[in-house]
């Protein structure tokens, strides 16, 4: 059964997911051949020189000479074909992103596209790769028949049609009509970054005793920041370049993850290596704020991934490749309106974040009470005690990812049969507190008060500590709020053991830490107060999410989504 198509529900044929963009495939074939032929050229030259020498000395015949050269060339050709096949396979990303498959044409434009081919016989019988290759060589009449076979709901096929029509120097009336339909789907014209950015390169000569600022770029458009200050003699990498306030800068390695930004005033004259190309922005065509907003979206990252993934085994993005990419470019006054809309939503987000930080649970609420060891009011990591349940009974399962850092809640519980999870997983019950012991989960506040478990029993990640309150002495929710404080997590961090990147809070810390535990009545008052603050915090976070969703919607509309 196919569900009805709605704004947030759509289906695509499985073939769309299986296919690879023929343009990407052709680029891989061309680049791989060029790369490997260049690599083999020197080897071939040496091999031919050896064969010439042996031929002159009559150690081999002319026939043997030709066979040896043919064998070498054949090996080289097979190598190219095998490497190309591997790179094509590696480049094929099975994505479930809406933008990758569904075209940007609205219903009325789809109808126009289909009506344009009423009197044209469709040329069927081949896949998109074959049709693409045929389209590039076709005359106008054949091109129309091929375009008639393109599915107007397919993002790939419409993008190929758009590219083909835009590159035609001479078009007949029908082809012009088709191009206009596709232009309607794009709210704004697209512009190459090469027309908006000019490469800069100001190499410096390092001076001993002089202090330099080095910068780094945060992912997903989150800004350019200071990495460190360093003396000239401590800089080991040759080739350092000076950037200026207002420069647009990118990371070749992390461009696929949105490592772009504008150099702020406090980093004027900072230095970078050649791995961080930087550019002067043509502000006559594009506003700085608009440029950063529009390229820190998946629509732009997808272009980079399609261009780089597997093409020549490289992961970095070269400057020329980056400048060949396109973005939608409204007029400057429209860019200003878009920026102002985004800034209003950012104001809401920043305000929400300030309120959120002010509402975070502070250890000061707890610190003046009598201190106790956990054994005096709770059980740590209790043993499994499962009674009354059969192996095929369902219980709840909670992975580490199912616990929200920000909300401190379990947001995704799945059900599994008891026999699947009773061995090897952490065990807990309703009203237990789970506390992530591994870094960085613990530092981010990944902990939760367990509730609504199937049959009252739960299992989950082995990276949880479990605290079970003795309810005559401590409220589960009081313990939950206490272990979520930054102070408690900082203390736990100091006692972590294990290898870097996989450190854990040992049970010994949880046992030896002295927890402030007041009488039950005082605990109830503290919990009631914190519950009200958390209720306010939930509303603030919802405001933040709504503002983020509005920004995404604004930019999706600019991209033509």
């Amino acid at each position: 059964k196919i569900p009805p198509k709605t704004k947030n529900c759509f289906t695509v044929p499985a073939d769309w997911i299986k296919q690879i963009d023929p343009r990407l495939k052709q680029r891989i074939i061309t680049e791989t051949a060029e790369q490997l032929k260049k690599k083999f050229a020197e080897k071939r030259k040496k091999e031919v020189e050896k064969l010439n020498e042996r031929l002159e000395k009559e150690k081999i015949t002319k026939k043997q000479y030709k066979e040896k050269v043919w064998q070498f060339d054949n090996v080289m050709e097979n190598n190219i074909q095998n490497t190309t096949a591997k790179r094509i396979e590696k480049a094929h990303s099975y994505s479930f992103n809406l933008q990758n498959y569904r075209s940007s044409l609205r219903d009325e434009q789809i109808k126009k596209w289909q009506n344009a081919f009423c009197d044209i016989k469709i040329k069927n019988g081949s896949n998109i790769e074959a049709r693409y290759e045929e389209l590039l060589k076709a005359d106008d009449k054949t091109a129309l028949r091929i375009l008639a076979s393109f599915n107007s709901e397919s993002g790939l096929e419409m993008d190929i049609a758009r590219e083909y029509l835009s590159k035609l120097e001479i078009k007949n009336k029908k082809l012009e009509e088709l191009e206009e339909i596709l232009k309607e789907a794009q709210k704004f014209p697209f512009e190459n970054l090469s027309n908006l950015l000019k490469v800069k390169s100001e190499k410096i000569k390092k001076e001993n005793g002089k202090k330099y600022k080095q910068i780094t770029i945060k992912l997903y458009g989150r800004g350019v920041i200071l990495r460190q200050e360093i003396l000239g003699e401590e800089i080991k990498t040759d080739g350092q370049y000076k950037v200026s306030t207002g420069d647009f800068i990118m990371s070749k390695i992390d461009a696929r993850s949105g490592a772009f930004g504008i150099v702020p005033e406090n980093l004027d004259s900072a230095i970078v290596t050649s791995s961080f190309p930087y550019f002067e922005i043509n502000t006559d065509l594009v506003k700085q704020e608009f440029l950063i907003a529009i390229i820190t979206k998946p629509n732009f990252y997808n272009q980079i991934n399609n261009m780089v993934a597997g093409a020549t085994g490289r992961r970095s993005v070269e400057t020329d490749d980056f400048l060949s990419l396109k973005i939608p470019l409204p007029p400057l006054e429209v860019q200003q309106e878009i920026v102002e809309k985004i800034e209003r939503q950012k104001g809401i987000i920043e305000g929400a974040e300030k309120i959120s930080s002010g509402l975070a649970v502070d250890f000061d609420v707890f610190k003046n009470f009598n201190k106790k060891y956990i054994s005096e009011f709770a059980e740590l990591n209790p043993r499994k005690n499962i009674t009354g349940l059969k192996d095929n009974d369902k219980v709840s399962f909670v992975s580490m990812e199912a616990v929200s850092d920000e909300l401190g809640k379990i947001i995704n519980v799945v059900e599994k049969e008891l026999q699947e999870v009773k061995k090897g997983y952490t065990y807990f019950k309703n009203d237990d507190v789970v506390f992530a012991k591994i870094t960085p989960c613990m530092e981010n506040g990944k902990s939760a008060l367990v509730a609504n478990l199937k049959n009252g029993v739960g299992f989950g990640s082995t990276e949880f500590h479990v605290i079970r309150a003795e309810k005559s002495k401590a409220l589960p929710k009081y313990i939950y709020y206490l272990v979520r404080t930054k102070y408690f997590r900082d203390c736990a961090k100091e006692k972590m053991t294990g290898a870097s990147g996989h450190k854990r809070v040992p049970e010994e810390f949880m046992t030896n830490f002295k927890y402030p535990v007041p009488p039950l009545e005082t605990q109830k008052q503290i919990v009631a107060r914190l519950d009200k603050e958390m209720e306010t915090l939930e509303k603030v976070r919802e405001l933040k999410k709504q503002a983020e969703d509005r920004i995404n919607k604004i930019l999706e509309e600019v991209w033509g989504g």
Side-chain angles (χ1 to χ4, degrees):
K1 293 183 179 179
I2 298 178
K5 185 172 120 182
T6 65
K7 181 181 177 183
N8 296 311
C9 176
F10 67 101
T11 61
V12 298
D15 287 345
W16 288 10
I17 297 171
K18 295 175 185 176
Q19 68 192 4
I20 186 171
D21 187 334
R23 296 166 296 180
L24 172 59
K25 185 175 180 180
Q26 189 55 54
R27 185 161 64 243
I28 293 171
I29 291 170
T30 303
E31 289 185 2
T32 304
E34 288 176 357
Q35 182 192 43
L36 294 185
K37 281 178 180 177
K38 186 177 180 181
K39 179 181 175 181
F40 277 106
E42 191 61 34
K43 289 183 180 179
R44 190 182 191 279
K45 182 180 176 183
K46 290 178 181 178
E47 183 68 19
V48 169
E49 286 174 355
K50 287 180 184 177
L51 290 172
N52 284 333
E53 187 177 334
R54 294 181 69 190
L55 183 64
E56 286 175 8
K57 293 179 179 179
E58 297 184 348
K59 290 183 177 182
I60 58 173
T61 65
K62 285 187 177 180
K63 184 179 179 182
Q64 289 172 322
Y65 174 91
K66 289 179 181 178
E67 284 178 353
K68 294 283 185 184
V69 172
W70 178 86
Q71 287 172 1
F72 185 91
D73 289 342
N74 194 48
V75 168
M76 180 187 73
E77 193 58 41
N78 287 337
N79 190 295
I80 290 172
Q81 289 177 9
N82 291 336
T83 304
T84 300
K86 288 178 183 177
R87 289 176 176 176
I88 289 171
E89 178 62 28
K90 187 178 177 182
H92 190 192
S93 168
Y94 295 93
S95 169
F96 293 94
N97 187 322
L98 168 64
Q99 298 297 331
N100 284 5
Y101 300 118
R102 199 168 74 177
S103 77
S104 58
L105 271 67
R106 295 183 291 275
D107 288 344
E108 63 269 24
Q109 291 158 352
I110 289 174
K111 192 173 180 180
K112 282 184 183 179
W113 179 269
Q114 292 169 344
N115 289 340
F117 295 103
C118 285
D119 55 346
I120 294 172
K121 187 177 179 181
I122 295 175
K123 188 171 176 41
N124 281 324
S126 56
N127 59 30
I128 184 60
E129 183 180 345
R131 282 183 286 155
Y132 171 69
E133 291 176 1
E134 196 174 355
L135 182 63
L136 297 180
K137 306 169 190 172
D139 56 32
D140 287 359
K141 188 175 179 181
T142 308
L144 282 170
R145 291 183 61 201
I146 295 170
L147 290 171
S149 72
F150 280 24
N151 190 325
S152 52
E153 293 191 2
S154 164
L156 174 60
E157 295 188 18
M158 287 299 97
D159 193 53
I160 288 173
R162 183 182 290 111
E163 182 183 273
Y164 168 76
L165 292 167
S166 67
K167 288 182 177 179
L168 277 181
E169 293 183 5
I170 303 173
K171 306 178 186 76
N172 61 33
K173 192 174 180 180
K174 181 64 76 174
L175 290 172
E176 286 180 350
E177 180 187 345
L178 294 174
E179 186 178 24
E180 286 304 312
I181 293 169
L182 294 179
K183 280 182 178 178
E184 284 178 29
Q186 292 182 331
K187 193 169 182 181
F188 301 107
F190 277 58
E191 190 69 61
N192 278 84
L193 287 179
S194 58
N195 296 325
L196 306 176
L197 300 172
K198 180 182 178 182
V199 177
K200 294 181 68 176
S201 179
E202 188 175 347
K203 196 169 185 178
I204 65 159
K205 186 176 181 181
K206 293 182 295 183
E207 297 178 30
N208 292 343
K210 183 175 179 178
K211 191 175 282 188
Y212 295 90
K213 292 180 180 179
Q214 292 182 320
I215 67 178
T216 189
I217 309 171
K218 297 177 81 173
L219 304 183
Y220 306 111
R222 289 182 293 158
V224 179
I225 59 173
L226 177 69
R227 179 161 68 89
Q228 64 176 349
E229 291 190 88
I230 187 170
L231 292 172
E233 58 268 30
E234 296 174 328
I235 300 172
K236 305 302 180 186
T237 307
D238 290 328
Q240 298 287 331
Y241 300 83
K242 184 173 76 172
V243 300
S244 303
T245 302
D247 285 346
F248 176 90
I249 188 168
M250 63 172 277
S251 163
K252 286 184 177 181
I253 300 296
D254 293 320
R256 296 199 293 180
S257 298
F260 316 113
I262 304 293
V263 177
E265 284 187 23
N266 66 309
L267 293 177
D268 185 55
S269 298
I271 59 171
V272 295
T273 66
S274 58
S275 294
F276 294 87
Y278 57 104
F279 313 82
E280 179 183 345
I281 300 173
N282 184 347
T283 52
D284 290 335
L285 294 177
V286 64
K287 297 185 70 66
Q288 285 184 3
E289 303 87 346
F290 176 82
L291 178 62
I292 288 296
I294 206 68
I295 69 171
T296 50
K297 290 292 295 174
N299 310 65
F300 188 75
Y301 305 152
N302 288 341
Q303 287 190 68
I304 296 178
N305 286 322
N306 289 338
M307 174 182 68
V308 173
T312 54
R314 59 189 166 89
R315 295 184 61 82
S316 62
V317 178
E318 296 305 318
T319 304
D320 288 345
D321 290 335
F322 180 75
L323 291 175
S324 72
L325 300 175
K326 296 181 178 183
I327 62 168
L329 192 69
L332 280 173
E333 59 272 17
V334 178
Q335 290 180 39
Q336 181 61 36
E337 290 173 11
I338 291 166
V339 168
E340 288 173 359
K341 287 179 183 178
I342 291 172
E343 289 302 318
R344 282 196 289 272
Q345 300 308 317
K346 281 185 176 178
I348 294 172
I349 292 169
E350 288 169 7
E353 287 173 345
K354 285 180 183 178
I355 295 170
S356 293
S357 61
L359 289 173
V361 179
D362 196 324
F363 191 77
D364 287 348
V365 174
F366 308 93
K367 69 178 185 179
N368 294 323
F369 301 120
N370 291 332
K371 310 295 190 296
K372 297 181 180 181
Y373 292 112
I374 200 166
S375 59
E376 298 178 67
F377 62 89
E379 185 181 1
L380 179 65
N381 298 324
R383 291 183 178 179
K384 295 184 180 73
N385 182 18
I386 310 158
T387 56
L389 291 179
K390 299 174 183 176
D391 279 354
N392 60 354
D393 285 339
K394 293 293 181 71
V395 294
S396 295
F397 183 82
V398 180
S399 65
M400 186 63 73
E401 292 75 20
V403 180
S404 166
D405 305 10
E406 188 178 24
L407 300 175
K409 289 182 178 180
I410 296 172
I411 55 176
N412 183 27
V413 177
V414 297
E415 292 181 7
K416 295 190 177 185
E417 290 187 356
L418 178 61
Q419 61 189 351
E420 292 182 63
V421 294
K422 66 180 182 180
K423 293 181 181 179
Y425 290 104
T426 301
Y427 158 75
F428 41 83
K429 299 196 303 187
N430 283 329
D431 289 337
D432 286 351
V433 174
V434 292
F435 178 81
K437 59 185 175 184
I438 191 169
T439 186
C441 301
M442 186 281 296
E443 297 166 60
N444 294 341
K446 219 177 239 302
S447 53
L449 182 63
V450 180
N452 302 317
L453 297 174
K454 181 77 173 177
N455 288 318
V457 175
F459 290 83
S461 171
T462 56
E463 302 295 353
F464 286 131
H465 280 306
V466 179
I467 305 171
R468 181 169 298 162
E470 190 178 331
K471 293 183 181 177
S472 62
K473 297 178 180 179
L475 298 176
K477 206 164 196 182
Y478 176 85
I479 297 172
Y480 160 75
Y481 280 132
L482 173 58
V483 299
R484 277 187 64 77
T485 60
K486 187 175 185 299
Y487 174 80
F488 181 82
R489 286 182 282 124
D490 285 346
C491 291
K493 184 179 178 182
E494 290 177 6
K495 300 295 183 180
M496 280 183 151
T497 58
S500 177
H502 291 88
K503 290 188 174 183
R504 293 170 175 82
V505 178
E507 192 169 298
E508 183 182 7
F509 165 78
M510 304 292 287
T511 302
N512 295 333
F513 184 84
K514 287 203 152 187
Y515 300 79
V517 183
L520 279 176
E521 194 55 43
T522 306
Q523 291 182 42
K524 288 177 184 176
Q525 293 171 5
I526 290 171
V527 167
R529 171 186 159 188
L530 293 176
D531 278 349
K532 285 184 179 178
E533 290 185 6
M534 291 307 106
E535 188 179 333
T536 303
L537 187 57
E538 289 284 333
K539 292 177 181 176
V540 170
R541 284 171 174 158
E542 182 57 31
L543 280 175
K544 178 185 173 184
K545 184 179 182 304
Q546 289 174 359
E548 289 170 341
D549 288 345
R550 289 189 197 105
I551 290 175
N552 287 334
K553 186 177 179 182
I554 290 167
L555 294 173
E556 286 291 344
E557 288 176 354
V558 177
W559 275 99

